[in-house]
């Protein structure tokens, strides 16, 4: 499929995630392919024209040639009838996605790949009203997908191996990092991990150990850059020297357990919200995501560059 | 103090952390200052000469001029008697540190700053046998300190504000990120956060959702680079758009709580160790920390560069 010069991708849903994927696909689309966008919102074309450029670096707007690859669809059947890939980033409603996929199945080519960007609704549930459940899987991005390399591939037990393999190949050939989870699980993996840290972060702020901004600076100047280069297991495995992760736990397993024993168990709605939200507002106002994205791109570039340099 | 061209720093303990700090100080020491190293181990000088160069980038060994700034001390009194800063990175034993600081106090100049690199023993406990408890605080690095910018400053309730302020100024003037915690807490903040994520990581691997290496790649291609640029609160505050962190929780607080509800509560010794350690060994063998450190330096450089560019 990657070699096919003509590749039709259809995006269903033109919200933030959908248009971020649109920006990604536009910069990786072999000509003369098409990127079809379908969304029931009114004034879809004006919305796309005004929003899509915000997903490109300043001074690097989509070219007229690439914009001309976009087709606006006004009905689901016309959106999917010639698509090779159908990627939905619609609202997080299970009934809605269930009926969407049943519809898509009726109108799309038989071998089209069906991807959901959901951050929580498993493919096995989304596929419940489909006749052929082998073609659907979750392709969960880390926001914003036009910048972050990760895609969590979460097949249902019915998803066919060849569908998974073609999905892997698509993203890998575009320099992205598709990671397949072995089974469906609440929240998938990236969010589970990030939210576990967030929970402890809220606890430490609530306990008055540290403020919101200080906590962020701690992460930005320690585990952030470290984990951009080597994930937690690899980092602690390195920390154990020649004895690896086992040596690490032999050395400081007691400290790790002491931290776990005192870890917070805050819940949403426990009452910490007001103070934490206020601190965030006071420190950050509205975050300059353009700057954040510019720096993130550079970080990803140098990691990639240096990794390649190491392999030479 | 920062303006003083003559600055004597004494390091107690020449293990990995001590020598990593030595490498940092050597590259930031105003001439004609001295870096004194004291450690009761035999063959201290040979150990320093063979190990210290490993803390410099390849091809960038310490110069003879900088090496000539190192003094080897053979007794504690001679090590500390003319020091402006005394930084200990010895074994994590409370009785040992308590008696060390009582000794140091007897022989060091009255206004010398006293810093402990401990990752777990609070200054209030370490200072128990000192007459003047105002000068000691924890200055906890993120390993390896010659590369990672973070220093957690953890004063005891007795530490004087001027000691904290001088410590802040020392690190800030050297381009580091000293963050003061508001109170002593088990494991301080950085490790508490990292270990919270590690616990969930172990749980997800144990549950067979993902392997050790896949989990690391997930972190390396998502929250690692993200948090190198903007910490968790800032990131989720940005995720909420103009409604900030509050909007983020209004949107997906339910998903966050669902993840928290299913979060693992693994403990050290629960039996997950064998499988996780084996996976780490099989994926990584012995980690090439030279490559890791080279890439980490570059990541930190570009973040710094781009932040400055944004401020211009």
């Amino acid at each position: 499929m990657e070699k096919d010069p003509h590749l039709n991708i259809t995006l269903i849903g033109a919200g933030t995630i959908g248009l971020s994927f649109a920006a990604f696909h536009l910069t990786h689309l072999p000509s003369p392919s098409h990127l079809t966008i379908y969304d029931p919102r009114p004034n879809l074309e004006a919305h796309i024209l005004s929003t899509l450029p915000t997903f490109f670096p300043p001074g690097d707007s989509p070219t007229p040639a690439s914009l001309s690859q976009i087709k606006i669809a006004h009905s689901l059947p016309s959106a999917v009838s010639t698509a090779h890939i159908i990627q939905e980033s619609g609202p997080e409603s299970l009934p809605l996605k269930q009926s969407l996929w049943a519809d898509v199945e009726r109108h799309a080519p038989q071998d089209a790949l069906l991807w959901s960007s959901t951050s929580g609704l498993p493919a096995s549930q989304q596929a419940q009203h489909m006749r052929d459940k082998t073609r659907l899987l979750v392709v969960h991005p880390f926001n914003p997908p036009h910048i972050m390399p990760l895609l969590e591939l979460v097949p249902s037990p019915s998803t066919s191996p060849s569908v998974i393999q073609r999905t892997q190949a698509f993203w890998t050939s575009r320099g992205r990092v598709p990671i397949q989870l072995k089974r469906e699980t609440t929240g998938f993996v990236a969010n589970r991990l990030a939210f576990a840290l967030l929970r402890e972060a809220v606890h430490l702020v609530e306990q008055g150990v540290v403020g919101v901004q200080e906590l962020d600076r701690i992460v930005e100047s320690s585990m952030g850059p470290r984990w951009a280069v080597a994930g937690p297991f690899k980092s602690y495995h390195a920390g154990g020297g020649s004895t690896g992760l086992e040596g690490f736990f032999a050395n400081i397993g007691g400290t790790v357990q002491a931290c776990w024993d005192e870890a917070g168990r805050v819940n949403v709605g426990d009452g910490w919200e007001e103070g934490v939200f206020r601190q965030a507002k006071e420190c950050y106002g509205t975050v300059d995501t353009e700057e954040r994205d510019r720096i993130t791109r550079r970080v990803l570039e140098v990691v990639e560059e240096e990794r390649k340099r190491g392999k030479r």
Side-chain angles (χ1 to χ4, degrees), chain A:
Chain A
M1 180 182 68
E2 281 57 56
K3 301 278 160 69
D4 189 341
H6 191 110
L7 177 68
N8 291 338
I9 301 179
T10 291
L11 301 179
I12 300 177
T16 310
I17 299 293
L19 288 187
S20 171
F21 270 126
F24 177 81
H25 291 312
L26 271 188
T27 51
H28 292 80
L29 206 58
S31 135
S33 309
H34 284 116
L35 181 68
T36 301
I37 303 181
Y38 173 65
D39 187 308
R41 80 180 65 203
N43 304 318
L44 177 58
E45 187 157 1
H47 168 69
I48 292 171
L49 282 173
S50 66
T51 310
L52 191 58
T54 65
F55 293 99
F56 287 76
D60 192 18
S61 296
T63 61
S66 73
L67 282 179
S68 74
Q69 292 184 297
I70 300 182
K71 283 186 178 176
I72 310 286
H74 295 288
S75 75
L76 187 72
S78 71
V80 304
S81 63
T82 63
H84 301 102
I85 292 170
I86 298 157
Q87 185 172 24
E88 78 80 23
S89 308
E92 289 288 58
S93 148
L94 184 58
L96 198 147
K97 287 191 203 286
Q98 285 174 333
S99 88
L100 175 78
W101 291 122
D103 268 5
V104 166
E105 188 179 40
R106 272 191 289 278
H107 301 286
Q110 267 206 353
D111 62 347
L113 297 172
L114 309 183
W115 298 342
S116 169
S117 304
T118 182
S119 59
L121 303 169
S124 55
Q125 292 180 28
Q126 292 191 40
Q128 228 146 41
H129 303 160
M130 297 177 78
R131 267 166 303 150
D132 175 4
K133 300 171 170 45
T134 64
R135 299 152 63 191
L136 179 67
L137 78 164
V138 168
V139 176
H140 178 234
F142 196 84
N143 199 29
H146 66 293
I147 294 184
M148 302 307 293
L150 176 66
L151 287 313
E152 290 180 275
L153 308 191
V154 198
S156 79
S158 308
T159 313
S160 84
S162 83
V163 163
I164 300 171
Q165 188 277 320
R166 287 165 61 205
T167 303
Q168 286 267 12
F170 176 92
W171 292 105
T172 305
S173 71
R174 281 156 180 77
R176 296 276 137 167
V177 181
I179 303 288
Q180 184 191 335
L181 307 196
K182 290 175 197 156
R183 56 183 187 74
E184 298 182 317
T185 189
T186 305
F188 314 132
V189 169
N191 280 343
R192 285 280 287 260
L193 295 174
F195 294 163
L197 185 141
L198 179 64
R199 190 180 208 177
E200 185 67 354
V202 167
H203 171 67
L204 290 168
V205 169
E206 195 198 22
Q207 295 291 306
V209 175
V210 77
V212 158
Q213 192 161 23
E214 287 74 38
L215 187 137
D216 278 343
R217 294 190 66 212
I218 285 174
V219 174
E220 290 162 16
S221 50
S222 59
M223 68 211 82
R226 160 65 69 241
W227 289 345
V229 179
F233 285 120
K234 191 173 184 182
S235 291
Y236 292 126
H237 186 68
S242 59
T243 57
L245 201 55
E246 184 164 7
F248 169 80
F249 270 95
N251 286 339
I252 70 149
T255 304
V256 173
Q257 186 62 48
C259 289
W260 287 353
D261 288 339
E262 294 202 11
R265 296 280 177 272
V266 296
N267 289 300
V268 172
D270 269 2
W272 51 268
E273 280 88 348
E274 197 191 327
V276 172
F277 294 166
R278 192 181 51 240
Q279 275 195 55
K281 233 178 280 174
E282 285 168 7
C283 307
Y284 299 126
T286 299
V287 175
D288 179 354
T289 52
E290 197 176 293
E291 181 187 76
R292 183 199 64 182
D293 290 349
R294 189 191 76 229
I295 306 180
T296 306
R297 276 181 206 273
R298 288 273 286 133
V299 167
L300 292 165
E301 274 165 24
V302 301
V303 173
E304 181 79 8
E305 244 173 68
E306 293 286 332
R307 283 229 173 93
K308 279 185 186 152
R309 199 155 80 96
K311 274 182 197 148
R312 259 185 254 149

